[in-house]
């Protein structure tokens, strides 16, 4: 016999508490295989395809595209072990209107009397397995005894046409059915019906559904809202007459905004319209981190202009050498990027000034100095600002850094960065020169202790060897946590970086 299992949003790691549904990958009624992706979600870290650990037929989806879903909330339900009909039950198990029996006359059993449930696949996300599906309680239906209760004679079922009752129940039967529903789970399947009732303050336990076996439909809720509005407007006494039973319409419920408590005063201009944009996803996480950085870190900034002419010439020389000597081992390699050269300079500077490759643990009141350099770099995407991290940047050369920067930048643009590629940085390099600006005062990426900002490299008049000349000039700025070092250390770091930019041969002393 088929079981309807509920697949919930798993823990995506890194302290994430929820995700936004970007795109559904399956439809209701579609057959899914084990570990088949069923929904694409956007967390505060990256875009993730969530695979389902069950094989069967999708019987329901929870949440529209763009909706926020907390961890542990249901995503879909899957009928495992057999085909499912339109009501979410396996084929051949359609219940009668009153006694909950199958079409073949046998009684359905509670899920607790069935055999052990199927195990999950263990592959919802890498590092986060799925456990055995939780036991599901069967919804207590009107006219059907609860598990363990003594059996009572079934009442005759009313005549139906296409599954709809031809006449409403008697008042006494309706009261008894309502009392029975209040003792058990609310007979509602659609989350839309629950949301519509919740938004309008209706208690579903006090309602008698007009659907099959007492199921509360959207039409029931809308009729109750209409009746409540009519009574409030005309002061009529409540009526207990059954309302016409009409099939639910497939269109989503349109909930009107409540009217203002007070009408606007005549002669007072209306307030200007505003647009509220929720801070969620990547933008919300960045807002929290930047606010925390400004609140907790006593930062300071120093900057210096540097002549980058020799650095640009060195980069061009590397490119020409690879092109002119195809037999060389370096021929055919990636074109070295300016960002990779600056990153190599940063790792050399951090080796001389390790205080800036640190973080502060205020709970223990300690400065935590990191041995490895995990270099973050700011990348602007359509989804917002992200900071991918190059692991062990101090062990990489310019070619390796160029390749890794290219890979992480492409992953950031396509939204395929993993949480591990967005966390764990110890120092950040911010090349805001790509936006055509010269200088900035960067905000430290909490919990790091420093960030180096690089402006655009542009021709400017510069005194070179005692004469005025046009040189390629760049502005470098360093924002640092004053708790980990004083201005002398920060100034020494920035001066070493500027010296390497002006004379790349300085790096040869430390390679």
């Amino acid at each position: 016999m088929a079981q309807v299992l509920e697949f919930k949003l798993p823990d995506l790691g890194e302290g994430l508490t929820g995700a936004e549904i970007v795109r559904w990958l399956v439809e209701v009624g579609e057959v899914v295989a084990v570990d088949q992706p069923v929904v694409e979600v956007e967390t505060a870290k990256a875009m993730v395809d969530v695979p389902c650990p069950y094989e069967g037929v999708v019987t329901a989806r929870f949440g529209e595209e763009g909706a926020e879903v907390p961890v542990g909330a249901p995503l879909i339900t899957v009928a495992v072990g057999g085909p499912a009909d339109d009501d979410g039950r396996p084929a051949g198990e359609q219940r009668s209107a009153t006694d909950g029996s199958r079409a073949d006359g046998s009684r359905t059993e509670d899920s607790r009397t069935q055999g052990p449930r199927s195990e999950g696949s263990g592959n919802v996300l890498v590092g986060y397995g799925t456990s055995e599906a939780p036991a599901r309680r069967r919804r207590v239906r009107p006219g059907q005894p609860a598990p363990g209760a003594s059996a009572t004679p079934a009442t005759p079922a009313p005549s139906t046409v296409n599954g709809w009752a031809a006449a409403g129940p008697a008042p006494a039967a309706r009261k008894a059915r309502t009392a029975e529903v209040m003792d058990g789970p609310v007979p509602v399947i659609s989350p839309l019906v629950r949301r519509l009732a919740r938004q309008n303050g209706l208690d579903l336990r006090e309602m008698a559904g007009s659907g099959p076996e007492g199921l509360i439909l959207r039409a029931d809720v809308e009729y109750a809202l209409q009746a409540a509005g009519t009574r409030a407007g005309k002061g009529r006494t409540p009526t207990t007459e059954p309302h016409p039973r009409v099939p639910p319409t497939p269109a989503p419920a349109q909930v009107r905004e409540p009217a203002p408590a007070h009408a606007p005063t005549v002669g007072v201009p209306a307030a200007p319209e505003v647009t509220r944009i929720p801070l969620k996803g990547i933008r919300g996480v960045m807002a929290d981190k930047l606010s925390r950085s400004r609140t907790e870190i006593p930062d300071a900034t120093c900057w210096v202009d540097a002549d980058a002419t020799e650095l640009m010439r060195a980069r061009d020389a590397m490119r020409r050498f690879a092109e002119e000597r195809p037999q060389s081992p370096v021929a055919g390699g990636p074109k070295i990027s300016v960002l990779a050269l600056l990153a190599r300079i940063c790792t050399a500077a951090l080796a001389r000034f390790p205080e800036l490759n640190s973080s502060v643990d205020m709970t223990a009141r300690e400065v935590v100095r990191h041995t490895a350099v995990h270099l973050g770099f700011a990348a602007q995407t359509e989804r917002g600002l992200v900071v991918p991290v190059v692991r062990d940047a101090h062990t990489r050369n310019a070619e390796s850094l160029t390749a890794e920067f290219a890979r992480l930048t492409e992953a950031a643009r396509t939204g395929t960065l993993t949480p591990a590629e967005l966390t764990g940085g110890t120092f950040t390099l911010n090349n805001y020169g790509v936006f055509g600006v010269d200088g900035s005062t960067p905000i430290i990426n909490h919990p790091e202790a420093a960030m180096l900002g690089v402006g655009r490299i542009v021709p400017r008049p510069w005194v070179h060897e005692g004469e005025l000349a046009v040189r390629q000039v760049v502005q470098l700025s360093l924002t640092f946590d004053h708790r980990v070092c004083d201005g002398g250390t920060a100034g020494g770091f920035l001066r070493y970086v500027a010296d390497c930019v002006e004379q790349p041969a300085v790096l040869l002393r430390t390679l």
Side-chain angles (χ1 to χ4, degrees):
M1 182 178 69
Q3 303 175 6
V4 178
L5 303 181
E6 192 175 71
F7 173 47
K8 300 179 181 180
L9 179 65
D11 182 4
L12 303 177
E14 298 294 338
L16 300 176
T17 59
E20 176 182 345
I21 297 176
V22 176
R23 181 167 57 97
W24 283 105
L25 305 179
V26 295
E27 299 289 341
V28 175
E30 184 175 339
V31 178
V32 295
V34 174
D35 293 337
Q36 175 182 338
V38 295
V39 64
E40 182 181 17
V41 300
E42 178 181 4
T43 70
K45 301 292 185 180
M47 303 276 283
V48 180
D49 287 343
V50 182
C52 177
Y54 310 125
E55 178 180 4
V57 180
V58 177
T59 58
R61 298 187 320 193
F62 300 93
E64 301 294 333
E65 294 181 355
E68 291 280 348
V69 181
V71 171
L75 287 175
I76 62 172
T77 55
V78 181
V80 179
D85 59 16
D86 294 337
D87 194 30
R89 293 188 296 268
E93 293 193 25
Q94 296 180 350
R95 305 175 185 270
S96 67
T98 56
D99 62 356
S101 61
R102 295 181 187 170
D104 58 2
S106 62
R107 301 284 300 182
T108 57
E109 298 179 356
D110 186 81
S111 58
R112 291 172 296 179
T113 63
Q114 298 170 2
R117 297 185 179 271
S118 58
E119 298 287 341
S121 69
N123 292 327
V124 170
L125 287 176
V126 177
Y128 299 95
T130 55
S131 59
E132 182 178 356
R136 292 178 53 87
R137 294 186 304 168
R138 185 186 59 181
R139 176 161 56 88
V140 179
R141 303 183 180 274
Q144 179 179 349
S150 58
T152 58
T155 59
S159 59
T160 59
V161 179
N162 293 332
W164 296 92
R174 185 166 61 251
K175 292 180 181 179
R177 183 177 61 183
T178 303
E180 184 179 2
V181 170
M182 294 180 65
D183 293 337
V186 180
V188 178
I189 294 179
S190 172
L192 179 62
V193 174
R194 293 182 182 273
R195 183 176 64 182
L196 184 59
R198 182 173 62 252
Q199 291 176 343
N200 291 274
L202 292 180
D203 188 355
L204 292 174
R205 293 183 178 274
E206 298 179 355
M207 297 183 60
S210 62
E213 303 175 321
L215 183 67
I216 297 177
L217 307 175
R218 175 188 163 193
D220 301 326
V221 176
E222 290 178 340
Y223 182 85
L225 293 176
Q226 182 181 3
T230 303
R231 290 195 300 269
K234 298 184 178 181
R236 296 191 304 181
T237 57
T239 177
T240 58
E241 289 299 321
H243 60 271
R245 287 165 168 77
V246 295
T249 57
Q254 300 293 332
V255 182
R256 301 184 62 183
E257 294 293 335
H262 302 283
T265 305
V266 177
V268 178
E273 295 184 358
V274 296
T275 301
R276 292 183 175 269
I277 303 174
L279 284 174
K280 61 182 181 179
I282 290 179
R283 190 168 298 277
V285 171
M286 291 304 300
D288 294 337
K289 293 195 69 174
L290 296 178
S291 299
R292 185 176 182 183
S293 177
R294 282 300 194 198
T295 303
E296 296 184 7
I297 299 178
D299 58 352
T301 302
C302 53
W303 58 89
V304 65
D305 291 339
D307 180 4
T309 305
E310 295 302 325
L311 181 68
M312 301 305 292
R313 288 177 178 173
R315 175 174 175 265
D316 292 338
M318 295 177 190
R319 176 183 56 81
R320 289 195 305 269
F321 183 84
E323 292 176 353
E324 296 173 358
R325 300 191 180 184
Q327 72 280 4
S328 173
V330 300
K335 184 184 296 185
I336 304 300
S337 66
V338 176
L339 186 63
L341 295 177
L342 292 172
R344 186 65 187 89
I345 293 173
C346 278
T347 57
L350 289 173
R352 297 173 68 92
F353 301 92
E355 297 91 339
L356 295 171
N357 193 45
S358 305
S359 58
V360 178
D361 184 356
M362 289 303 297
T363 303
R365 299 190 66 82
E366 295 175 344
V367 175
V368 182
R369 188 171 296 178
H370 306 287
T371 304
V373 178
H374 301 314
L375 186 66
F377 66 99
Q380 190 70 36
T381 69
E382 295 180 356
R383 300 169 58 237
L385 178 67
V386 295
V387 184
V389 177
V390 177
R391 300 286 173 181
D392 299 317
H394 61 292
T395 64
R396 299 175 181 266
N397 57 25
E399 284 190 353
S400 176
L401 289 169
T402 296
E404 187 67 1
F405 281 139
R407 185 187 71 82
L408 292 174
T409 300
E410 181 61 24
R413 288 172 180 169
T414 57
T416 56
L417 286 170
T418 64
E421 294 170 334
L422 289 165
T423 55
T426 61
F427 187 91
T428 297
L429 177 62
N430 187 359
N431 181 20
Y432 45 76
V434 296
F435 303 117
V437 297
D438 297 326
S440 176
T441 54
I443 300 178
I444 297 175
N445 186 23
H446 186 278
E448 299 170 10
M451 176 185 291
L452 178 68
V454 182
R456 60 176 179 166
I457 302 176
V458 293
R460 287 183 181 173
W462 190 267
V463 177
H464 177 66
E465 296 180 353
E467 295 183 357
L468 188 63
V470 177
R471 307 285 287 181
Q472 301 291 323
V473 180
V474 62
Q475 185 181 97
L476 306 172
S477 59
L478 175 69
T479 298
F480 64 98
D481 188 341
H482 230 311
R483 297 174 297 180
V484 303
C485 69
D486 297 326
T489 301
F493 174 90
L494 187 59
R495 187 66 257 173
Y496 179 82
V497 171
D499 290 343
C500 291
V501 169
E502 294 182 341
Q503 296 293 335
V506 174
L507 277 175
L508 296 177
R509 296 176 59 89
T510 56
L511 290 179

